[in-house]
Amino acid sequence: MAVARGSESAQRHAVVVVGGGQAGLSVAHCLQKRGVRPLVLERHRIGHAWARQRWESFCLVTPNWQCRLPDFPYDGDDPEGFMGREEIVRYVQRFADHIQVPVREGVAVNRLQASGNGFLLSTDEGAIEAEQVVIATGGYHRPKRHPLAARLPERILQIDARDYDSPATLPPGPVLVVGSGQSGCQIAEDLHLAGRRVHLSVGSAPRSPRRYRGRDVVDWLDRMGYYAMPIDQHADPRAVRGKTNHYLTGRDGGREIDLRRRALEGMVLHGRLADLGHDRIRFAGDLAANLDGADAVYSRICRSIDDHIAAQGLSAPEEPPYVPCWTPPPGPPEPLDLAAEPLAAVIWCTGYRPDFSWVEVPVFDGAGHPVHERGLTRVPGFYVLGLPWLHTWGSARFCGVAEDAEYLAEAIRLRASRQAASQERLECTALLGT
């Protein structure tokens, strides 16, 4: 890799944070508390992803009381509620106003290289040199689609989950939602509740109860330590970062999503998408297995709460076990005939892949994910933040980013102190030598 040389005209900063979302703002605040004033660069505007890449009815699946950015916990009058899209944007913007950290909005970093003992960032506003850099842009950059998506007729609108806004913004007609993670299930439900005919391709995503034995499940799991559990204590630390989140919703005060019940109401469920053609779409025969798998996780969560209640000697109301209200019909799955069922749109909710192609620092694995230990990479002075399971299950959430930000801020401060002490020793040595 060619090493970039600093420019005499480049702006110089001790620390540059790339990304002005909740993760970038959090580490900037934690640095500022330690006497380090960073520069935050944000390609769009603060809160952009929440404002522009979420749909109209979107809301958090975690209760408001779990929103606890560093020194800025939720302070509203509905701690048990679930913030909607506009409320989330206002919360992040208020946090930015509160911490008073310099943020340059509308400045994209097009290239990041190692440069001497630091880094050189090529931006829309010229070159910036930094002694240390934090990448806080998340890990969901480029949406995935089925490799044969281009086979569908041009008349069918194809969009990704981040581009969906509301049922009214789609052309009239049936809609196919591909993917049953949180986004897929919530978008399919949004369309269903609006009276649209919805087909949902169901994968292996797990589901969760919303409330169980008198409390929200997030409350139970938080008390049981799941959100604070370090990744090295997880049963499968290598695979957990790529796993799909459990589906449920905070809509209408919070409730679970039972796809079987939606099927009884008219939502058409299919197995995994297997093949796409100009005239029909074929699905795998795994719908029953996928629904059973989601229910098994649901029941396992309930049993773990039961065990916690028993172990702690707590008093909580009893609840009967879940009983499926619908099962798929037997036999091979029928293909979706596009002549008989002319789809208006396909919404791809099949996940995202990272895109750090602009970062020319050797910290990535073969799949393009940064290799790190709690946000510290093997390149001194280069850090990542805001990724799923950076350290705990809560790392990429409003409940866990503060702890990660504090940890990185202290590591950055210590490194800056060591460098300053080393520079001072060199200067003293030079003086004594003269």
Side-chain angles (χ1 to χ4, degrees), residues 302-362:
C302 293
R303 288 195 301 272
S304 69
I305 295 171
D306 291 337
D307 293 344
H308 173 75
I309 291 171
Q312 298 297 316
L314 303 176
S315 176
E318 297 289 341
E319 287 198 28
Y322 172 77
V323 178
C325 61
W326 176 88
T327 56
E334 292 289 330
L336 183 59
D337 187 331
L338 297 180
E341 184 81 336
L343 292 177
V346 173
I347 305 177
W348 297 99
C349 303
T350 43
Y352 295 84
R353 61 173 60 90
D355 181 7
F356 293 103
S357 57
W358 51 279
V359 180
E360 299 177 15
V361 181

Side-chain angles (χ1 to χ4, degrees), residues 2 9 15 22 44 75 86 115 147 151 174 227 236 247 310 313 321 344 365:
S9 61
V15 182
Q22 63 267 17
H44 301 288
D75 58 356
E86 303 306 321
S115 176
R151 288 185 177 180
Y227 290 98
D236 193 1
Y247 60 83
D365 63 16

Side-chain angles (χ1 to χ4, degrees), residues 36-55:
V36 180
R37 190 165 175 81
L39 171 66
V40 180
L41 302 177
E42 167 54 46
R43 176 184 292 269
H44 301 288
R45 295 186 64 82
I46 292 172
H48 170 83
W50 295 110
R52 301 298 180 187
Q53 296 180 358
R54 303 295 191 276
W55 52 96

Side-chain angles (χ1 to χ4, degrees), residues 34-285:
R34 289 164 170 79
V36 180
R37 190 165 175 81
L39 171 66
V40 180
L41 302 177
E42 167 54 46
R43 176 184 292 269
H44 301 288
R45 295 186 64 82
I46 292 172
H48 170 83
W50 295 110
R52 301 298 180 187
Q53 296 180 358
R54 303 295 191 276
W55 52 96
E56 187 176 64
S57 66
F58 176 88
C59 51
L60 296 177
V61 299
T62 50
N64 294 335
W65 57 262
Q66 230 195 19
C67 295
R68 41 196 187 218
L69 294 177
D71 303 316
F72 199 76
Y74 174 79
D75 58 356
D77 57 4
D78 188 18
E80 301 297 330
F82 303 87
M83 277 195 269
R85 181 177 68 178
E86 303 306 321
E87 293 174 282
I88 299 167
V89 173
R90 287 195 295 271
Y91 176 60
V92 175
Q93 290 175 338
R94 286 195 303 117
F95 178 56
D97 293 338
H98 172 73
I99 63 178
Q100 293 291 298
V101 169
V103 180
R104 292 189 191 171
E105 297 179 295
V107 178
V109 178
N110 304 308
R111 192 179 188 188
L112 171 59
Q113 301 168 280
S115 176
N117 293 324
F119 305 92
L120 179 66
L121 299 88
S122 300
T123 80
D124 292 345
E125 293 187 351
I128 297 175
E129 289 184 339
E131 295 172 16
Q132 302 190 74
V133 170
V134 181
I135 303 299
T137 58
Y140 303 131
H141 304 135
R142 293 193 177 276
K144 300 176 185 176
R145 290 188 182 184
H146 193 282
L148 302 180
R151 288 185 177 180
L152 289 174
E154 290 185 8
R155 62 175 175 77
I156 298 176
L157 173 68
Q158 297 190 58
I159 61 173
D160 301 298
R162 68 182 183 184
D163 298 316
Y164 171 72
D165 184 70
S166 69
T169 59
L170 298 181
V175 179
L176 169 63
V177 178
V178 182
S180 58
Q182 276 187 15
S183 294
C185 286
Q186 290 176 14
I187 289 173
E189 189 182 69
D190 190 45
L191 292 162
H192 174 76
L193 294 174
R196 300 293 292 264
R197 179 164 169 79
V198 180
H199 295 263
L200 175 63
S201 175
V202 178
S204 60
R207 77 183 187 101
S208 169
R210 176 75 273 175
R211 292 186 62 82
Y212 184 66
R213 301 193 65 178
R215 292 185 180 275
D216 191 280
V217 165
V218 170
D219 192 346
W220 283 121
L221 296 179
D222 192 77
R223 291 165 182 262
M224 293 160 66
Y226 276 88
Y227 290 98
M229 180 178 65
I231 189 170
D232 58 7
Q233 294 180 18
H234 193 276
D236 193 1
R238 290 191 176 185
V240 68
R241 283 182 173 139
K243 287 188 174 181
T244 305
N245 285 324
H246 306 70
Y247 60 83
L248 72 168
T249 182
R251 186 169 175 169
D252 302 327
R255 50 182 164 73
E256 62 191 51
I257 296 177
D258 187 346
L259 295 180
R260 297 180 192 269
R261 187 162 301 282
R262 292 307 185 199
L264 285 176
E265 297 168 354
M267 185 183 292
V268 185
L269 304 184
H270 306 272
R272 285 185 180 273
L273 195 152
D275 188 41
L276 289 163
H278 190 75
D279 57 350
R280 65 188 59 214
I281 301 174
R282 299 183 186 279
F283 301 92

